[in-house]
Amino acid sequence: MLWLVGSGSIAIEYAKVLNSLSIEFIVIGRGKSSSQLFSKLTGIKVNAGGVSIFLDKNPPIPSKAIVCVNIEELKSVAEQLLDFGVKDILLEKPGGANFNEIKDLYNYSKNLNGNIKIAYNRRYYSSVAKLKELISNDDKIISFNFEFTEWTDSIDKLGKSEKVLKNWFMANSSHVIDLAFFICGLPDKMTCYTSDNITWHKSKAIFCGAGITKQKSFFNYSANWLSAGRWSIEILTLKGKYILCPLEKLFFQKRGSIESYEINFDSSIDQKYKAGFYFQTKEFVNGSNKNLLSLSQQNFMIDIYKKISGFNN
């Protein structure tokens, strides 16, 4: 038995995948309106009222749980599940509303022998799988670069809480940064620069930096939240440049050419389900955890994210 904690739009996407995998699960929601909409769209009953009320009924402990509540609630819900005895948890990215929450949850989970994974679904895009296949066959990464510019004019209109907005770098930008280092390797040395501010954001607004990974690949990055841009990752090998922009698509520029062309691959699974969710969920329920980020690894990444975001300054 698996618990799906949350009844919003992301929970609906998880439910589609769990049904396709023939996984038996119970849904735990909080708000009445979201719970009703979930049931209407999926035909699945929701235990509404929140995690605390559900746990008060002393239900049997599930083998696994997927937590996809609001970012502000990720830490508290995960801790409640750990206290109840739920050990294997897939927690929606980034695992907490800010750096301190993630660190605190890591220590809390460690003391209770928890096994929490962070759901960075972009690791499971079909485009990423194809890219890794092409590079692993007969090529190697020499260098890479990535951009994580955010559209601040649009973010202002999303109605997000002040807590989430202050930590938007971690809440959102970490998605593409995690993916870049997942594909190419973690930094060994890195120099970072930041500048300017946005009134609602805790760290900076302009970012750039460069470094070298543990695999000796050079990298650089940039983002300017006060101007234009978009998420992208470019990976350079001896054969040429692979381009993820948008991240769901893959392009290639051959060495010695100025032209780039789109690489075709089977993306039907990302069309049928929310991109990345099917293989991410399948890996979690099967227990292989090959590509899932552990909470321990996310805790390690915090120092890297602090440097890139300018939080330390």
Side-chain angles (χ1 to χ4, degrees), residues 19-88:
N19 280 329
S20 71
L21 295 172
S22 300
I23 302 297
E24 186 179 359
F25 63 98
I26 291 174
V27 183
I28 306 165
R30 185 179 64 173
K32 183 178 179 180
S33 58
S34 63
S35 297
Q36 290 177 339
L37 180 60
F38 182 99
S39 295
K40 179 181 179 180
L41 295 176
T42 65
I44 301 171
K45 175 188 174 182
V46 177
N47 295 273
V51 174
S52 297
I53 291 177
F54 182 78
L55 295 180
D56 284 343
K57 300 175 183 177
N58 199 31
I61 298 174
S63 59
K64 295 178 182 291
I66 297 175
V67 178
C68 49
V69 297
N70 292 336
I71 292 179
E72 300 93 326
E73 307 298 327
L74 289 172
K75 175 179 177 287
S76 63
V77 169
E79 288 178 345
Q80 289 180 74
L81 294 178
L82 289 167
D83 285 337
F84 192 74
V86 184
K87 301 299 182 184
D88 289 333

Side-chain angles (χ1 to χ4, degrees), residues 2-261:
L2 179 147
W3 287 356
L4 178 59
V5 185
S7 57
S9 58
I10 297 299
I12 292 172
E13 299 298 333
Y14 274 116
K16 292 177 185 177
V17 176
L18 291 170
N19 280 329
S20 71
L21 295 172
S22 300
I23 302 297
E24 186 179 359
F25 63 98
I26 291 174
V27 183
I28 306 165
R30 185 179 64 173
K32 183 178 179 180
S33 58
S34 63
S35 297
Q36 290 177 339
L37 180 60
F38 182 99
S39 295
K40 179 181 179 180
L41 295 176
T42 65
I44 301 171
K45 175 188 174 182
V46 177
N47 295 273
V51 174
S52 297
I53 291 177
F54 182 78
L55 295 180
D56 284 343
K57 300 175 183 177
N58 199 31
I61 298 174
S63 59
K64 295 178 182 291
I66 297 175
V67 178
C68 49
V69 297
N70 292 336
I71 292 179
E72 300 93 326
E73 307 298 327
L74 289 172
K75 175 179 177 287
S76 63
V77 169
E79 288 178 345
Q80 289 180 74
L81 294 178
L82 289 167
D83 285 337
F84 192 74
V86 184
K87 301 299 182 184
D88 289 333
I89 300 172
L90 179 61
L91 189 64
E92 262 302 307
K93 52 197 172 295
N98 53 48
F99 296 134
N100 288 335
E101 285 195 0
I102 294 170
K103 277 190 171 293
D104 289 345
L105 179 59
Y106 165 69
N107 291 324
Y108 199 88
S109 174
K110 186 178 179 181
N111 289 334
L112 293 174
N113 296 315
N115 181 28
I116 298 180
K117 305 297 183 183
I118 307 299
Y120 278 111
N121 60 295
R122 286 167 182 82
R123 290 181 169 212
Y124 296 86
Y125 278 5
S126 298
S127 57
V128 174
K130 184 63 178 180
L131 170 63
K132 293 183 72 177
E133 172 194 321
L134 291 170
I135 293 176
S136 66
N137 281 343
D138 57 356
D139 214 349
K140 66 175 287 189
I141 298 172
I142 303 173
S143 65
F144 62 99
N145 61 78
F146 58 91
E147 179 185 353
F148 54 91
T149 292
E150 301 283 352
W151 296 352
T152 52
D153 292 340
S154 300
I155 296 168
D156 286 339
K157 303 171 185 176
L158 293 178
K160 297 292 183 180
S161 70
E162 181 182 357
K163 187 175 184 180
V164 172
L165 288 175
K166 279 185 175 181
N167 296 280
W168 193 253
F169 173 92
M170 194 62 198
N172 212 53
S173 296
S174 68
H175 300 187
V176 67
I177 302 171
D178 170 81
L179 181 58
F181 291 138
F182 166 68
I183 296 170
C184 304
L186 293 176
D188 184 32
K189 298 178 182 179
M190 182 171 61
T191 302
C192 308
Y193 300 92
T194 58
S195 180
D196 286 294
N197 293 281
I198 298 172
T199 55
W200 47 259
H201 192 237
K202 198 169 184 178
S203 61
K204 301 296 183 176
I206 301 175
F207 315 82
C208 73
I212 184 170
T213 69
K214 296 181 184 298
Q215 291 77 21
K216 307 304 179 185
S217 297
F218 291 91
F219 68 88
N220 64 81
Y221 66 84
S222 66
N224 190 330
W225 295 14
L226 302 178
S227 187
R230 67 181 303 179
W231 287 1
S232 66
I233 300 174
E234 297 183 344
I235 298 173
L236 292 85
T237 73
L238 292 171
K239 291 187 174 182
K241 180 192 293 186
Y242 294 93
I243 304 164
L244 291 166
C245 187
L247 300 181
E248 295 86 348
K249 294 187 175 183
L250 179 61
F251 299 86
F252 182 70
Q253 181 183 353
K254 188 177 180 180
R255 180 179 176 180
S257 172
I258 61 172
E259 302 293 334
S260 62
Y261 63 88

Side-chain angles (χ1 to χ4, degrees), residues 295-310:
L295 180 57
S296 174
Q297 291 168 327
Q298 183 73 318
N299 180 63
F300 171 81
M301 287 295 296
I302 286 178
D303 287 340
I304 294 173
Y305 288 134
K306 281 184 176 181
K307 290 177 182 178
I308 295 175
S309 66

